[in-house]
Amino acid sequence: MAASRHRSLRRTATAVATAAAIALTAGLTTGCDAVDKALDCVRTADGIADSVTELQQAVENTSDPTQWEESLDSIDKNLDNIGDQTDNADVNKAVDDLGKAVDNVRTSVENGDKTPDLSPVTDAAGELTKVCTP
């Protein structure tokens, strides 16, 4: 299962890098404002992917829920940033879905779960990366 998570993270990181390249190329054919928004979305999605990776590593390597909480807080902070930067309905839905997944993990941890299911978080982060691609 850990190998599957790592493959998922690699796919997410690859998708983020691809999205960044597409966003940069899109600057040749679209207005600067649209490109700036797309780049902000990609940067924030990249930050979220990093936070999701940190969360997975924390869950795999420690039984200290406070470290898990720090990663969840980081994801929430990035979600707030991306939500403030866009009026795109698809991005907002992906942000909401990821926020719900994070909330579910947080509730699970607060209820004493020592092995929370992170797959909804990684799936939602992947979806956010997709919709941030211009």
Side-chain angles (χ1 to χ4, degrees), residues 8-73:
S8 175
L9 292 175
R10 275 184 252 152
R11 277 186 260 138
T12 300
T14 300
V16 169
T18 302
I22 291 169
L24 291 172
T25 304
L28 300 174
T29 59
T30 60
C32 291
D33 190 44
V35 172
D36 287 342
K37 285 184 179 183
L39 287 173
D40 287 342
C41 187
V42 168
R43 283 185 202 111
T44 304
D46 186 41
I48 290 170
D50 289 345
S51 297
V52 170
T53 300
E54 290 170 9
L55 174 62
Q56 287 179 317
Q57 290 172 346
V59 169
E60 289 174 8
N61 297 325
T62 181
S63 59
D64 182 5
T66 58
Q67 289 185 3
W68 305 351
E69 287 289 333
E70 289 173 14
S71 296
L72 293 168
D73 291 344

Side-chain angles (χ1 to χ4, degrees), residues 69-106:
E69 287 289 333
E70 289 173 14
S71 296
L72 293 168
D73 291 344
S74 177
I75 296 169
D76 279 337
K77 181 180 176 187
N78 283 318
L79 288 175
D80 288 344
N81 288 340
I82 200 169
D84 293 343
Q85 295 173 354
T86 186
D87 56 1
N88 181 294
D90 292 333
V91 172
N92 284 330
K93 181 180 180 331
V95 166
D96 289 345
D97 290 347
L98 183 51
K100 289 175 189 172
V102 167
D103 289 344
N104 288 340
V105 169
R106 191 181 307 275

